[in-house]
Amino acid sequence: MSTRPIHSAAELIPDRPTLPKVREAAKECRACDLWKLGTQTVFGEGVRHAELLLVGEQPGNEEDLTGHPFVEPAGKLLDRALADAGIDRAVVYVTNVVKHFKWEPRGKRRIHKKPNAGEIAACRPWLDTEIALVTPRAIVCLGATAAQALLGRQFKVTAQRGAFISSPRAPLVLATVHPSSILRAPDEEARHREMKQFTNDLRAVARALSSR
């Protein structure tokens, strides 16, 4: 495996990219130092021309170990919200802005650490290529990192959550919270309220897709 220093994942994108080729190329990504922390690259998964593409921040501990996105408790919560919104995850493409798990030790646990702007920029070509190949009709940004990566650093999920945003990336683009934030809610009542709003955001996307 090559350890040649590179500054952007763009240098690894195949000349004639397909999802399988790009996924394979991403396994060797050294565009930032996160590969030294992560067990493996965690690339996006889903059908080739999914109508809906969901993008989060980065893989978590379990995703890093299994190599699959959104399989932790937050992923299971996402599955439930999708089902309640009438969306079949089997026909959705799920991915993250950053493809390696950034973490810091806390005792024996590996705790999520937010990726910085340089790491996001270095990894960004993978996401851009995924979007270009999947050509989704709708993109949902899950959380502030995903929203600001795709919609600009000034974008505020707290102010613009659930609203469709004009974007060249897809006909329908919407930002909402990351499901992990629902799990961090202070009590059961707050979790129920946040889950309801999250599901309603996904229902809005489902309605918009069905009306086009």
Side-chain angles (χ1 to χ4, degrees):
M1 182 178 294
S2 172
T3 56
R4 177 179 65 85
I6 62 173
H7 302 290
S8 169
E11 299 175 44
L12 296 176
I13 305 295
D15 290 336
R16 295 182 179 180
T18 63
L19 284 174
K21 285 182 180 179
V22 176
R23 183 176 291 108
E24 188 65 25
K27 292 179 181 178
E28 297 191 24
C29 190
R30 305 288 186 268
C32 72
D33 286 339
L34 292 187
W35 67 273
K36 299 175 183 178
L37 288 174
T39 303
Q40 59 191 311
T41 302
V42 182
F43 206 72
E45 292 182 348
V47 296
R48 179 183 174 189
H49 290 303
E51 283 197 320
L52 174 60
L53 184 147
L54 303 174
V55 54
E57 179 186 273
Q58 66 166 332
N61 184 70
E62 190 171 339
E63 286 90 353
D64 174 66
L65 296 175
T66 64
H68 301 289
F70 288 97
V71 295
E72 288 193 323
K76 293 177 174 59
L77 187 148
L78 173 62
D79 287 348
R80 197 174 91 211
L82 286 169
D84 289 347
I87 299 170
D88 182 0
R89 176 165 168 172
V91 296
V92 172
Y93 190 92
V94 292
T95 191
N96 286 293
V97 173
V98 172
K99 311 302 189 194
H100 282 106
F101 178 35
K102 183 176 184 179
W103 58 275
E104 57 187 1
R106 188 174 301 171
K108 295 183 178 180
R109 300 176 63 201
R110 301 191 303 170
I111 303 301
H112 162 276
K113 188 174 182 181
K114 185 179 176 69
N116 62 39
E119 291 156 351
I120 291 170
C123 203
R124 175 62 180 272
W126 297 122
L127 176 60
D128 289 341
T129 303
E130 286 176 294
I131 293 172
L133 291 172
V134 175
T135 60
R137 292 174 59 208
I139 296 174
V140 173
C141 302
L142 301 172
T145 297
Q148 290 176 4
L150 290 180
L151 301 172
R153 296 182 67 180
Q154 303 307 311
F155 187 90
K156 302 289 185 185
V157 174
T158 51
Q160 296 168 277
R161 172 183 183 172
F164 288 104
I165 308 298
S166 177
S167 170
R169 302 183 185 283
L172 299 166
V173 178
L174 177 146
T176 184
V177 297
H178 194 284
S180 62
S181 69
I182 301 172
L183 297 174
R184 296 193 299 270
D187 53 52
E188 186 60 35
E189 182 180 349
R191 281 190 291 275
H192 178 77
R193 183 174 61 250
E194 285 298 315
M195 183 64 172
K196 182 178 180 180
Q197 188 172 357
F198 181 59
T199 304
N200 285 340
D201 290 339
L202 295 177
R203 281 198 182 102
V205 176
R207 285 194 301 268
L209 283 170
S210 65
S211 67
R212 291 193 172 209

